[in-house]
Amino acid sequence: MSKITRPVFIPINRKPFYKQINITFESSGISTYEEKQECIKALHSNFSKKYPQYNILEISTKSLQELGVQLSAFNLMKYEAPLKKKIAVENIYQASKKFATYGPYVDLFYVSPKEAKKDERISSSGKVFGYIYQGNEFPTTPEYLFFDYIYISALYENPRIAHEIIKYEAFTDIEFDPGIGTNCQAATVARLKGMLSANLDVSAILKEIEKSHKLPCFRNFKKKFSCEFPPQEHKSIKKHFNSD
């Protein structure tokens, strides 16, 4: 048995809109599907012993809860107007990466999410210098900006799934190792809930990011009244979040 540490993300109503609690648990391995599910059980069990007040959700394809599987970037779909089809968030993220002398590798729009993530070019092309998406360039700072933008935009396109997030107060992703990775879907969902608890107009923030390609000043998006998430009027995603 070895000890493994993974973060748990809990929404808060101030920047960075979540707090991270690192939980250590024992594991006999974390390679196979079954081992990862056992790790999730151990992670959640150890967390719940310390923080029983939080309802926790694993967000990944290894999740023991169907909602967590649906929220995986491999499964969460976003409509791409130029392609006239829905594409997994993972494909959009990988296919938009711009490297120093290579990329973006737009052919990754047309493979499976797993193939897009594991494509040899992504790991061998060096540092990511930006993201090219629908003809616009997004920066790498803050590092979560582009991933959050496409992931949360996709959530607004899938209100049935998005509404279920309300039931949970803590989020994990067993695949995410902070020592290696940067963006984490569990952190993104926690950040979203944190922004909503701060009564920020998230849909307006998304539109501002789409327009300016940078993170806006949050204090400019404070709402006087609480709003439903996701707002029902955002059924026309092409109108609100996609550029023709």
Side-chain angles (χ1 to χ4, degrees):
M1 300 287 283
S2 60
K3 290 191 175 183
I4 297 174
T5 300
R6 286 291 185 268
V8 179
F9 300 97
I10 299 173
I12 57 175
N13 61 3
R14 61 190 182 278
K15 292 172 65 176
F17 301 110
Y18 68 75
K19 62 180 178 180
Q20 178 178 323
I21 298 175
N22 294 323
I23 300 293
T24 299
F25 56 94
E26 290 190 341
S27 170
S28 58
I30 192 168
S31 299
T32 68
Y33 180 89
E34 292 75 16
E35 287 174 342
K36 289 175 182 178
Q37 287 203 322
E38 289 302 313
C39 286
I40 293 167
K41 292 176 184 178
L43 169 60
H44 286 199
S45 176
N46 284 11
F47 173 79
S48 295
K49 288 175 183 176
K50 294 183 178 180
Y51 307 95
Q53 69 272 34
Y54 294 113
N55 197 13
I56 188 168
L57 176 69
E58 164 72 15
I59 299 177
S60 74
T61 56
K62 313 305 183 297
S63 181
L64 283 79
Q65 296 141 292
E66 180 60 29
L67 176 62
V69 175
Q70 293 173 334
L71 286 169
S72 165
F74 278 30
N75 294 322
L76 185 64
M77 308 296 283
K78 184 179 184 302
Y79 181 73
E80 289 300 299
L83 302 178
K84 298 182 179 179
K85 62 185 294 187
K86 292 182 178 181
I87 303 291
V89 167
E90 186 67 35
N91 291 73
I92 298 171
Y93 178 61
Q94 301 297 344
S96 301
K97 288 181 176 179
K98 177 72 175 70
F99 302 91
T101 55
Y102 303 100
Y105 301 116
V106 295
D107 57 300
L108 296 181
F109 278 113
Y110 305 99
V111 300
S112 72
K114 184 176 181 179
E115 288 174 314
K117 185 174 183 178
K118 298 293 185 180
D119 191 284
E120 186 271 337
R121 294 170 296 176
I122 296 298
S123 58
S124 65
S125 294
K127 181 181 177 181
V128 177
F129 280 83
Y131 301 90
I132 307 295
Y133 178 61
Q134 296 188 356
N136 299 308
E137 184 163 3
F138 291 76
T140 56
T141 54
E143 61 186 15
Y144 60 82
L145 173 65
F146 181 68
F147 183 82
D148 276 18
Y149 168 68
I150 57 175
Y151 187 97
I152 297 174
S153 295
L155 273 182
Y156 273 79
E157 295 187 34
N158 295 274
R160 182 186 62 80
I161 298 173
H163 275 296
E164 294 298 307
I165 295 171
I166 297 170
K167 300 175 183 177
Y168 298 90
E169 302 87 29
F171 305 93
T172 62
D173 178 359
I174 200 65
E175 301 281 6
F176 178 68
D177 182 348
I180 301 174
T182 51
N183 291 294
C184 173
Q185 53 205 2
T188 297
V189 172
R191 188 180 292 112
L192 168 62
K193 283 206 69 177
M195 289 192 291
L196 291 168
S197 68
N199 218 23
L200 294 175
D201 189 336
V202 177
S203 61
I205 291 172
L206 290 174
K207 285 188 282 185
E208 182 61 27
I209 292 173
E210 180 180 306
K211 181 174 68 175
S212 65
H213 313 131
K214 63 182 181 180
L215 194 66
C217 180
F218 289 116
R219 66 172 177 266
N220 297 333
F221 294 89
K222 199 83 171 176
K223 289 180 70 69
K224 292 183 178 179
F225 305 101
S226 296
C227 60
E228 179 186 9
F229 172 71
Q232 291 300 312
E233 64 265 24
H234 290 293
K235 291 181 179 179
S236 176
I237 302 304
K238 180 177 179 181
K239 175 182 177 182
H240 289 286
F241 301 133
N242 286 304
S243 300
D244 289 330

